[in-house]
Amino acid sequence: MNPQKPSFSSSISTFTILFNCVISLLVVAKTTSDHDFPHFESSTSFIKPLDNPKNQTPPRPPPPPVPPLSPPDCTVWTSACSEEVLRLAKNPENTEWLKSIRRRIHENPELAFEEFETSKLIRHELDNMEISYRFPLAKTGIRAMVGTGGPPFVAVRADMDALPIQEAVEWEHKSKNAGKMHACGHDAHVTMLLGAAKILKAREHHLKGTVILLFQPAEEAGNGAKRMIGDGALENVEAIFALHVSHQHPTAIIGSRSGPLLAGCGFFRAVITGKEGGAGNPHHSVDPVLAASSAVISLQGIVSREANPLDSQVVSVTSFNGGDDLDIIPDNVVLGGTFRAFSNTSFYHILQRIEENRPGFSDALQQSTSEKEYTIYPPTVNDEKMYEHIKRVAIDLVGPTNFVVVPPMMGAEDFSFYSEVVPAGFFYIGIRNETLGSTHTGHSPHFMIDENVLPIGAATHATIAERYLNEHG
Ligand SMILES: [Zn+2]
Ligand SMILES: [Zn+2]
């Protein structure tokens, strides 16, 4: 995902404390209701005779044995079902497994469409879980399946690619690939989806349909989602969900919103070529610097003079390069920039206006069609019902104080390609821990995560999928 500027209030740290309290209470509730109960009984019978040693009343017969707690029947979802999923996720053995997976992926980051070892690791783990899958989609992508094999089909997606960044964090599992780093948390995304796969497989008898697990390449560059869709990732799928880690939220706080969440993002580049004057009149040339300058002015006018000021949009020229000589008009000028908007209508309108802006500019843009094709992310828009589903699941799983409604952000995500095809829900999960130092934005060489998020993310993914099938199957 393209990085975001911090925009949340610092009061959110309150949630960490509240969240920790909720988790502690859950742990206490489980231990006292389960293994500690017989111990409590025997202590009581030991104390009683001391209170009245001469009392000859025969001791009470021992209470009937407490039957072991059976997992809840989740035909109708209750909070006991959420607790059961959390228990599976937070089992110490499972937590260690999640950390080891994440660290192995972190040590070996791979760039877009080169996720060969990452993909191999995922397939190996799926094989161990006896989960079937289709491979490859979009070169290194995987489409795995858990459940009945029949409808409804609900998908959960994780992205696998890393960034061309040299890791600056010194720790035991630092990237071993020079100049490459999981600086956007996609190693954690893959791990949490594998964690969800394990939970869902353990609960497969509860599933009233099929969960599709999508491991996707090239989110950062190359529009991997678009190629996954082209290769059948969304076949039969009626809804899709995904998460992104966020340094803006304390660990395991979940945030989302209904409607536009992330902006559509496009990049444009054009070559404006001049024309030489006639042999007898070299000063009558078409000057590409003047033409390009005029194009910049026109481009700046698209948002400032044409767009609704209440509908956030951006068009920025960020690159302008001509010749190096000071005494000659260059043959051409290369200019480029970015544009962003929150609605599909506004986004594609801007694109159309950039193409229309000037005949010369339009011609040049047309010539770079392939580049334009690979550098457009539409807006990520959360379907209202999918957002409500995420919210319900999150509140039940982590508590109402650990769910927040977030504002729209100008970053972009290629998850938007899925959201153009089926109802979609995208959410954030916090990884911010001041003590650990996981406070840096994505795409920073100092980026790191709080690994305590892994079981919670896995449980959230699994519950979102299982409850969706429960309510739609
Ligand atoms: Zn990113
Ligand atoms: Zn990302």
Side-chain angles (χ1 to χ4, degrees):
M1 189 177 76
N2 278 358
Q4 306 293 323
K5 293 278 185 287
S7 60
F8 292 94
S9 76
S10 58
S11 65
I12 211 162
S13 59
T14 317
F15 292 121
T16 316
I17 300 160
L18 291 171
F19 177 75
N20 288 339
C21 291
V22 171
I23 297 305
S24 305
L25 284 171
L26 282 176
V27 170
V28 170
K30 286 308 291 179
T31 51
T32 50
S33 64
D34 200 346
H35 305 294
D36 288 357
F37 188 63
H39 169 72
F40 175 75
E41 282 295 303
S42 62
S43 302
T44 310
S45 57
F46 173 72
I47 291 167
K48 272 201 170 173
L50 290 180
D51 286 339
N52 187 4
K54 293 186 179 169
N55 188 335
Q56 296 304 308
T57 308
R60 282 189 300 168
V66 180
L69 287 175
S70 54
D73 166 23
C74 296
T75 311
V76 176
W77 196 268
T78 63
S79 52
C81 304
S82 293
E83 279 177 33
E84 174 65 11
V85 172
L86 267 182
R87 191 187 63 78
L88 289 171
K90 294 174 81 177
N91 170 306
E93 198 181 317
N94 192 56
T95 303
E96 282 313 304
W97 171 72
L98 290 170
K99 281 184 189 173
S100 75
I101 295 281
R102 185 259 162 171
R103 290 171 181 185
R104 278 164 61 199
I105 299 173
H106 189 86
E107 284 178 359
N108 187 22
E110 298 172 297
L111 302 183
F113 294 122
E114 296 173 2
E115 307 92 341
F116 300 110
E117 292 303 316
T118 309
S119 176
K120 203 165 144 187
L121 182 154
I122 295 166
R123 283 177 278 128
H124 177 73
E125 293 300 329
L126 292 172
D127 287 337
N128 284 346
M129 295 180 222
E130 298 183 351
I131 291 177
S132 60
Y133 53 82
R134 185 141 61 86
F135 169 82
L137 287 82
K139 201 168 179 181
T140 58
I142 302 161
R143 185 184 196 262
M145 250 188 216
V146 187
T148 62
F153 291 80
V154 61
V156 189
R157 166 275 210 173
D159 36 15
M160 304 188 288
D161 55 326
L163 286 157
I165 292 173
Q166 176 62 44
E167 180 164 10
V169 186
E170 294 301 333
W171 69 304
E172 195 185 342
H173 300 283
K174 182 178 177 175
S175 166
K176 290 178 178 166
N177 297 348
K180 298 176 188 175
M181 178 190 177
H182 270 292
C184 203
H186 298 187
D187 49 347
H189 298 173
V190 168
T191 305
M192 290 188 271
L193 193 54
L194 277 174
K198 194 174 240 184
I199 295 167
L200 289 165
K201 189 66 186 174
R203 297 176 59 79
E204 197 167 25
H205 56 290
H206 286 296
L207 301 182
K208 294 179 182 168
T210 308
V211 182
I212 300 293
L213 307 161
L214 296 176
F215 296 91
Q216 174 211 305
E219 190 282 326
E220 300 286 2
N223 292 349
K226 201 171 178 181
R227 283 188 55 178
M228 288 286 285
I229 294 168
D231 286 354
L234 292 183
E235 223 168 76
N236 299 322
V237 168
E238 61 172 56
I240 185 166
F241 298 90
L243 62 70
H244 205 292
V245 294
S246 169
H247 75 291
Q248 297 178 354
H249 303 274
T251 301
I253 297 289
I254 292 172
S256 189
R257 72 175 290 106
S258 180
L261 176 66
L262 289 158
C265 171
F267 298 97
F268 59 89
R269 191 190 304 274
V271 180
I272 297 183
T273 305
K275 280 184 189 164
E276 285 185 15
N281 197 352
H283 296 292
H284 280 190
S285 59
V286 175
D287 179 354
V289 175
L290 190 61
S293 302
S294 176
V296 173
I297 304 284
S298 301
L299 288 165
Q300 295 295 347
I302 293 175
V303 172
S304 67
R305 286 295 169 269
E306 296 180 23
N308 178 349
L310 298 179
D311 178 12
S312 301
Q313 299 176 29
V314 171
V315 176
S316 288
V317 176
T318 53
S319 167
F320 190 105
N321 295 305
D324 292 323
D325 293 327
L326 299 182
D327 63 346
I328 192 165
I329 292 171
D331 291 338
N332 54 53
V333 169
V334 181
L335 69 82
T338 182
F339 59 102
R340 300 187 179 209
F342 277 109
S343 71
N344 274 307
T345 308
S346 301
F347 182 74
Y348 287 110
H349 178 71
I350 292 176
L351 176 60
Q352 183 194 340
R353 292 294 295 121
I354 289 173
E355 289 178 344
E356 290 173 353
N357 206 254
R358 283 181 66 83
F361 190 83
S362 177
D363 290 348
L365 197 64
Q366 293 298 341
Q367 285 163 21
S368 59
T369 303
S370 61
E371 186 173 356
K372 184 188 68 172
E373 183 67 20
Y374 284 95
T375 52
I376 287 176
Y377 291 16
T380 300
V381 182
N382 271 348
D383 178 90
E384 190 181 344
K385 285 184 181 153
M386 300 309 116
Y387 161 73
E388 289 296 339
H389 182 66
I390 290 170
K391 186 179 169 185
R392 260 198 317 277
V393 167
I395 287 175
D396 200 38
L397 207 59
V398 297
T401 53
N402 296 308
F403 177 81
V404 289
V405 179
V406 299
M409 297 175 202
M410 272 294 174
E413 241 290 344
D414 84 343
F415 182 74
S416 53
F417 287 107
Y418 301 110
S419 76
E420 285 192 319
V421 181
V422 291
F426 192 79
F427 61 100
Y428 299 103
I429 189 160
I431 50 159
R432 187 181 188 88
N433 182 326
E434 310 280 349
T435 311
L436 285 177
S438 55
T439 57
H440 297 276
T441 180
H443 295 218
S444 158
H446 300 284
F447 179 82
M448 57 187 289
I449 69 161
D450 178 355
E451 290 179 328
N452 288 322
V453 75
L454 300 174
I456 310 289
T460 310
H461 266 335
T463 312
I464 280 176
E466 185 179 335
R467 282 188 71 173
Y468 182 92
L469 297 179
N470 210 325
E471 289 159 20
H472 296 82

